[in-house]
Amino acid sequence: NLKKIYVVKADGRRVHFDVSKVSVTCMRAGASKALAKKIAQSVLDQSYDGITTGQVYKLVLAALAVL
């Protein structure tokens, strides 16, 4: 997926979406590496330029809750 996505942080800064940060968050929550990668890709697919870190977190939680 090559879309350019910037995430808006709580302080208003815009940073590039980093899918590896989503994977790490999932693994910290107890997901396996393979599952974390799958969730991270799903979150990336649902993300858009200007999404907030809070919205990314909600997508992660929703994906983990399904398990």
Side-chain angles (χ1 to χ4, degrees):
N1 197 332
L2 296 175
K3 52 185 179 175
K4 297 239 183 205
I5 297 176
Y6 286 88
V7 176
V8 178
K9 299 184 73 71
D11 65 7
R13 288 181 296 136
R14 288 172 52 91
V15 297
H16 280 284
F17 184 94
D18 185 350
V19 74
S20 67
K21 288 183 179 179
V22 176
S23 291
V24 168
T25 298
C26 293
M27 288 187 287
R28 282 187 187 145
S32 68
K33 190 172 184 177
L35 182 58
K37 186 175 179 181
K38 184 177 177 182
I39 291 171
Q41 184 60 53
S42 173
V43 170
L44 176 60
D45 291 344
Q46 296 175 72
S47 296
Y48 51 88
D49 188 42
I51 193 169
T52 65
T53 52
Q55 289 167 316
V56 170
Y57 188 64
K58 285 179 184 176
L59 289 173
V60 170
L61 288 179
L64 288 169
V66 170
L67 306 174

